Amino acid sequence: DFMKQGQGMLLLYTMKNPSFPEYAFSSESGIMCLDFHNDHPYLVAVGFYDGNVAIYNLKKATSQPSYKSSAKSGKHTEPVWQVKWQKNDMDNNLNFFSVSSDGRIVSWTLVKNELVHTDVIKLSVEGTTMQGPEELQLQTLGCGTSFDFHRKIDYLFLVGTEEGKIYKCSKCYSSQFLDVFEAHHMAVDSVSWNPYHLKVFISCSSDWTVKIWDHTIKTPMFIYDLNSAVGDVAWSPYSSTVFAAVTTDGKAHVFDLSINKYEALCTQLVVAKKKNKITHIQFNPVYPVVIIGDERGHVTSLKLSPNLRRMPKEKKGQEVKKGPEVEIAKLDKLLNLVREPESK
């Protein structure tokens, strides 16, 4: 209920003691999302349930955010579902983006100790201009739920919506989309680019499915039905073919397409089903650990067993490729199996 705003918490843990937070900051509104800055890990961007965004500086002794949006400075009018740091702007100012149900994707730049906003795109629902009072045409806004920025092509990003569409957008055009994918029948809960393969992205939805796409093709390459609404999906940082998804029936699913293209290698119950849903999953960038968050406010850290994180062995007589090249080739091989019938 958007009219009933409750308090929120930002908690920071260390892996040495996952059962109790090192730092705790309380906020007036619930915190929906956060992102650590890559180069300055003490800076955390957060998005609130009341539509505000803020930056916390962990080096400062205060429990209040160092910078926060306000009604005057372009805050969202609905909950903020995701925030992501981007490269500094031309003047070397810190910069992050936010997406909200109000249909706006906003760029926030830290200029002279204040957050300056720019609306990058407004999601409008096609063919839904409503007739307002006195013959006014009111544009219905689409509800943004998730987004992700391309690893290499700086201007390119994807936005998932409550209507189930995924928009391919450019930071350069605020009124047009580069492409629209009729991706899902219900809300897109998460969308993200593959960390290795520059054409591939993954999406998941409340319609029970996870889909893997090539952004140059309008139909999905792979579709997985997980028998329950999918709250989140994440690519692994160590392999182009491994991803994990969490479903509202309390289960986590780990897939490796290079081992099995059709079903999960592991499906495990993580939280008790009663009145609880898993909302998020993330891989640790270095260690074989995933963390899972649920609606009750619990965070569960799990270690991946060796068979869920094994690296592919080089076959004898093959030229030994290193790192990212292997990963790209591995995923390309799988995608080509799927693409072939289309090209014939």
Side-chain angles (χ1 to χ4, degrees):
D1 183 354
F2 193 64
M3 302 318 289
K4 279 187 194 164
Q5 291 285 341
Q7 289 191 315
M9 297 284 283
L10 171 63
L11 303 178
L12 295 149
Y13 292 84
T14 163
M15 294 287 279
K16 290 173 185 168
N17 181 10
S19 56
F20 197 79
E22 294 283 300
Y23 300 93
F25 304 106
S26 58
S27 63
E28 292 160 23
S29 175
I31 294 178
M32 307 303 292
C33 50
L34 56 84
D35 192 27
F36 284 94
H37 196 290
N38 251 356
D39 305 325
H40 313 291
Y42 55 88
L43 293 177
V44 186
V46 302
F48 294 98
Y49 190 64
D50 65 5
N52 274 309
V53 296
I55 298 175
Y56 283 84
N57 184 342
L58 306 178
K59 281 186 171 178
K60 295 196 171 165
T62 171
S63 65
Q64 292 306 306
S66 300
Y67 312 98
K68 193 174 178 184
S69 61
S70 66
K72 281 186 196 165
S73 67
K75 87 178 215 13
H76 291 282
T77 53
E78 295 269 340
V80 179
W81 294 112
Q82 219 172 344
V83 286
K84 278 212 170 156
W85 288 102
Q86 287 297 287
K87 285 185 188 141
N88 291 1
D89 71 0
M90 301 287 194
D91 303 321
N92 214 22
N93 294 316
L94 291 165
N95 171 246
F96 70 93
F97 278 62
S98 62
V99 63
S100 160
S101 322
D102 67 2
R104 291 162 60 221
I105 283 111
V106 180
S107 166
W108 301 89
T109 310
L110 194 57
V111 183
K112 292 179 183 166
N113 282 351
E114 64 173 320
L115 283 174
V116 177
H117 82 286
T118 311
D119 281 16
V120 179
I121 216 154
K122 276 196 175 78
L123 301 171
S124 57
V125 183
E126 289 165 27
T128 52
T129 316
M130 281 177 9
Q131 202 71 31
E134 297 172 11
E135 303 300 309
L136 285 172
Q137 297 287 308
L138 298 175
Q139 188 72 51
T140 316
L141 289 175
C143 296
T145 52
S146 53
F147 65 171
D148 196 23
F149 292 86
H150 199 277
R151 304 279 189 283
K152 289 279 191 291
I153 307 168
D154 192 48
Y155 62 83
L156 191 65
F157 66 101
L158 299 166
V159 182
T161 64
E162 222 165 78
E163 300 80 55
K165 290 185 169 70
I166 294 173
Y167 294 96
K168 187 161 76 170
C169 308
S170 164
K171 291 181 189 174
C172 312
Y173 309 113
S174 60
S175 57
Q176 272 180 306
F177 307 118
L178 302 178
D179 216 338
V180 182
F181 298 88
E182 301 287 343
H184 293 277
H185 304 302
M186 290 172 77
V188 178
D189 292 314
S190 182
V191 58
S192 70
W193 292 101
N194 187 285
Y196 294 95
H197 200 294
L198 299 181
K199 280 188 175 180
V200 176
F201 69 90
I202 197 165
S203 65
C204 73
S205 164
S206 305
D207 70 1
W208 298 14
T209 62
V210 170
K211 297 185 182 184
I212 296 174
W213 307 77
D214 174 325
H215 82 87
T216 59
I217 298 169
K218 295 292 276 280
T219 52
M221 293 290 188
F222 294 96
I223 301 174
Y224 299 96
D225 186 328
L226 299 185
N227 286 324
S228 193
V230 188
D232 196 14
V233 68
W235 290 109
S236 85
Y238 54 83
S239 168
S240 64
T241 56
V242 174
F243 66 90
V246 287
T247 44
T248 52
D249 59 358
K251 290 176 183 167
H253 311 257
V254 181
F255 288 79
D256 187 343
L257 303 179
S258 63
I259 295 172
N260 189 334
K261 294 194 293 289
Y262 305 105
E263 53 196 38
L265 295 188
C266 165
T267 294
Q268 186 168 321
L269 192 65
V270 178
V271 302
K273 290 181 196 175
K274 283 183 184 168
K275 293 181 185 167
N276 198 357
K277 289 177 185 168
I278 302 183
T279 52
H280 279 298
I281 184 163
Q282 280 261 295
F283 281 86
N284 183 297
V286 180
Y287 302 106
V289 172
V290 291
I291 48 168
I292 288 171
D294 66 37
E295 256 184 5
R296 287 279 177 91
H298 296 141
V299 177
T300 310
S301 50
L302 299 159
K303 196 170 180 181
L304 296 167
S305 60
N307 65 322
L308 292 180
R309 59 176 196 255
R310 69 168 180 248
M311 307 303 271
K313 290 192 176 104
E314 292 293 336
K315 286 182 184 149
K316 279 184 183 171
Q318 273 191 347
E319 181 190 340
V320 177
K321 290 181 179 175
K322 295 270 186 323
E325 286 179 20
V326 176
E327 295 304 331
I328 293 165
K330 207 164 66 167
L331 192 48
D332 246 345
K333 191 175 167 187
L334 284 163
L335 293 177
N336 286 334
L337 292 174
V338 185
R339 285 189 193 123
E340 272 172 359
E342 288 186 7
S343 56
K344 277 176 187 173

